[in-house]
Amino acid sequence: MSVSNDLFERAKQLIPGGVNSPVRAFRSVGGAPFFVKSARGATLTTADDRELIDFVCTWGPAIHGHNHPVIKAAIAKALDAGTSFGTPNPHEVEMAELIVRFFPSIQKVRMCNSGTEATMSAIRLARGFTKRDKIIKFAGCYHGHSDSLLIKAGSGALTHGNPDSAGVPASFAQETVVLPYNDLAALDAAFAANPGQIAGVIIEPYCGNVGFIMPDAGYLQGLRERCTAHGAVLIFDEVMTGFRIAKGGVQERENITPDLTCLGKIIGGGLPVGAFGGRADIMDHLAPLGPVYQAGTLSGNPLAMAAGIASLRLLEELDPYARLDALTTRLCDTAAAAAKAKGIAVQTPHCASMFSFFFTETPVRDYATALTGDATVFKTFFHACLDAGVYLAPSAYEAGFLSTAHDGPAIDRACEVVDAAIRGL
Ligand code: HOZ
């Protein structure tokens, strides 16, 4: 038995499904997950000493690849000073200054420990600020696993067939209005049906949790205008896209100013972190200034702050977005050309360092069209890539990610593997 299989058997005895986050269990693609013992650059080394080119990048955070020496040194230096103080620390201030500089829509920011905490807190803040209860979210957008947001959710919830999680009281779900992404008419109808009741609208401006999907031209602008007209707080969940689509996220690329923004992943440099921020008049409703409570023992943790600061400074220095976009485009164009040669349909939406392969002839622009992707073909494709040493997300409903460590040779090899995997379908 392989070391990974042995570990998985042991894990299943004690950890539900053998994993601490559902998508990792490989259930939608079949087979058993591999365990990773180390990672460096764009390469994962499994417990069985296989080397894999990694296009999951720890689900987004590893924009500089794994174990980057600069980030590692920053963590080591912070570690020397202590792991957690439970008091304000200087790193938090530096992090806030960096975030505010990269995201002009953010005037004030609060650190927390995960993307889930960020979105959950932003929703509570929007409700406390507007004194309204209802929120709008979009089908297939995944904003972590708090109760109000686990409704028609993407990511693992969709992958495992539970987009509406058990355990969410119906009375909570009633306060969440779910609409199709990319549909302004549906948004208008929802505002008309709930006059003066919508506290906020939360969206992944580019979706990354139902595969990667981009908005139609004018959609996000239309969303902004309607939120302003109806006094609803517009919340951009840029946990995945922040610092990844551009330094200032989707909002920079699309030139839209949301009221609140949720961040995570890259800002922790690989350690657990989240943040939410935005208009000062809204943020000042948070305790201790205002009545909306939010807190965390490890919030602003010095190790996570140090890792995140190093990661953001590297991005500032390298400005890697055009290069990453070119590499991602090459990978996607290779998949599209191989599919054309083979006579099968594939959609390859991509931007900067995010991409997806949907095996469907239908252009993918929302949850319903994402579901037209052929899951059986995806499964065969996924395993063909994995067998040849290329690790893609083990779900048709997760985005792929590149990092600055994905150099020419890594992309050359990945293109060869993707080409052969599609031609072999
Ligand atoms: N929800 C994450 C991806 N969208 C998965 C995180 C993980 O399994 O590590």
Side-chain angles (χ1 to χ4, degrees):
M1 187 184 259
S2 72
V3 178
S4 279
N5 286 351
D6 180 48
L7 284 166
F8 194 45
E9 289 309 313
R10 284 167 55 202
K12 281 191 290 188
Q13 305 305 312
L14 301 169
I15 304 173
V19 290
N20 283 312
S21 190
V23 192
R24 300 179 194 178
F26 273 38
R27 289 174 83 100
S28 74
V29 289
F34 56 85
F35 283 61
V36 170
K37 65 177 183 187
S38 67
R40 185 171 303 277
T43 306
L44 300 175
T45 303
T46 73
D48 294 284
D49 289 322
R50 281 195 73 207
E51 299 216 321
L52 303 172
I53 305 174
D54 179 22
F55 288 95
V56 179
C57 289
T58 186
W59 304 91
I63 195 158
H64 300 293
H66 297 280
N67 215 353
H68 191 285
V70 171
I71 298 176
K72 202 168 146 182
I75 296 172
K77 189 169 170 210
L79 183 62
D80 208 39
T83 55
S84 175
F85 309 131
T87 67
N89 70 70
H91 298 292
E92 296 169 300
V93 186
E94 193 178 347
M95 174 61 94
E97 286 167 352
L98 273 171
I99 289 176
V100 166
R101 187 156 90 236
F102 284 47
F103 280 77
S105 74
I106 301 182
Q107 296 170 324
K108 289 195 175 177
V109 61
R110 169 70 55 89
M111 301 307 301
C112 52
N113 298 296
S114 67
T116 291
E117 277 188 38
T119 54
M120 176 184 78
S121 305
I123 292 290
R124 185 182 307 130
L125 179 56
R127 287 174 162 151
F129 176 72
T130 58
K131 302 191 174 58
R132 300 173 181 178
D133 288 341
K134 286 196 189 298
I135 57 159
I136 290 175
K137 81 171 281 289
F138 298 91
C141 285
Y142 174 78
H143 307 287
H145 56 90
S146 67
D147 287 344
S148 302
L149 295 168
L150 265 188
I151 301 166
K152 282 273 175 297
S155 188
L158 173 60
T159 303
H160 298 292
N162 308 111
D164 306 294
S165 172
V168 175
S171 54
F172 286 24
Q174 275 164 15
E175 304 296 348
T176 303
V177 177
V178 183
L179 301 179
Y181 179 82
N182 256 334
D183 185 342
L184 288 174
L187 186 66
D188 285 333
F191 273 120
N194 299 278
Q197 295 175 68
I198 305 293
V201 176
I202 185 163
I203 188 165
E204 287 183 88
Y206 290 2
C207 303
N209 281 291
V210 61
F212 183 65
I213 303 180
M214 292 175 70
D216 295 344
Y219 175 66
L220 294 175
Q221 191 58 49
L223 189 58
R224 172 66 277 179
E225 285 160 12
R226 280 142 178 97
C227 285
T228 303
H230 294 279
V233 175
L234 176 59
I235 306 167
F236 269 16
D237 176 349
E238 297 229 44
V239 168
M240 273 190 180
T241 54
F243 303 96
R244 188 168 267 289
I245 291 299
K247 267 188 298 208
V250 174
Q251 55 196 265
E252 175 189 310
R253 191 165 187 275
E254 299 277 345
N255 195 23
I256 311 271
T257 305
D259 300 308
L260 294 178
T261 298
C262 301
L263 297 170
K265 299 197 188 272
I266 286 176
I267 59 167
L271 294 186
V273 86
F276 60 104
R279 275 168 44 190
D281 62 323
I282 301 180
M283 292 301 289
D284 285 349
H285 277 63
L286 279 179
L289 294 180
V292 178
Y293 199 72
Q294 188 279 339
T297 296
L298 290 171
S299 296
N301 173 267
L303 299 190
M305 294 301 95
I309 289 165
S311 176
L312 299 189
R313 290 208 182 288
L314 272 174
L315 284 175
E316 222 172 8
E317 190 184 311
L318 299 174
D319 195 10
Y321 300 97
R323 182 180 156 263
L324 285 170
D325 190 64
L327 294 174
T328 306
T329 301
R330 239 182 89 206
L331 187 66
C332 289
D333 287 354
T334 300
K340 194 165 174 207
K342 176 76 184 174
I344 59 173
V346 70
Q347 307 293 326
T348 59
H350 58 91
C351 180
S353 56
M354 293 179 75
F355 66 95
S356 272
F357 301 139
F358 293 100
F359 291 98
T360 173
E361 58 197 17
T362 310
V364 176
R365 54 186 299 281
D366 57 14
Y367 178 79
T369 48
L371 294 193
T372 66
D374 188 324
T376 309
V377 171
F378 180 83
K379 187 172 163 172
T380 308
F381 169 69
F382 167 83
H383 279 292
C385 290
L386 185 58
D387 290 348
V390 167
Y391 177 50
L392 299 168
S395 160
Y397 308 118
E398 297 284 356
F401 299 96
L402 268 75
S403 76
T404 57
H406 286 78
D407 55 7
I411 296 296
D412 289 346
R413 176 64 192 144
C415 285
E416 274 171 31
V417 167
V418 162
D419 180 74
I422 290 180
R423 286 171 195 267
L425 285 171

